[in-house]
Amino acid sequence: MSELNLYSPLFHDKEKAREFIEELLWPNGEVCAHCKESDRIYELKGKSTPNGSYKCGHCRKRFTVTLPPSSSATCGINVSRILARGSLVE
């Protein structure tokens, strides 16, 4: 991986950090964290729905790139902090 610029918006903007991690982990599009399917994924866009929330058309479960499948909605990962530490591992 090339050297990262600590002044980059990735480290200070949660949306930019989430988008970067989505591109890194899902280069060919979103993949369900529960059943690993990728052909019937729908982005959720409600007023109270956080950006980057998806629903799988196969298992009908919700997921995001920042929440492991077994986590509750209150255990979100601060992706900006992970990128700043440089501890993102594939």
Side-chain angles (χ1 to χ4, degrees), residues 20-29 31 65-66 88-90:
F20 174 77
I21 292 189
E22 282 184 1
E23 289 176 20
L24 185 68
L25 297 179
W26 299 333
N28 300 318
V31 178
V65 75
T66 58
L88 180 66
V89 178
E90 261 188 279

Side-chain angles (χ1 to χ4, degrees), residues 26-90:
W26 299 333
N28 300 318
E30 297 82 13
V31 178
C32 178
H34 304 280
C35 69
K36 308 300 183 218
E37 292 291 336
S38 62
D39 61 335
R40 290 177 29 203
I41 305 297
Y42 309 100
E43 186 172 4
L44 301 174
K45 295 185 179 186
K47 280 185 179 180
S48 63
T49 305
N51 290 340
S53 295
Y54 299 92
K55 186 170 184 176
C56 178
H58 289 278
C59 68
R60 315 228 358 112
K61 293 182 180 177
R62 293 174 59 167
F63 65 95
T64 70
V65 75
T66 58
L67 281 178
S70 61
S71 296
S72 67
T74 60
C75 299
I77 298 170
N78 186 331
V79 290
S80 297
R81 188 168 291 167
I82 288 172
L83 288 172
R85 284 186 194 160
S87 62
L88 180 66
V89 178
E90 261 188 279

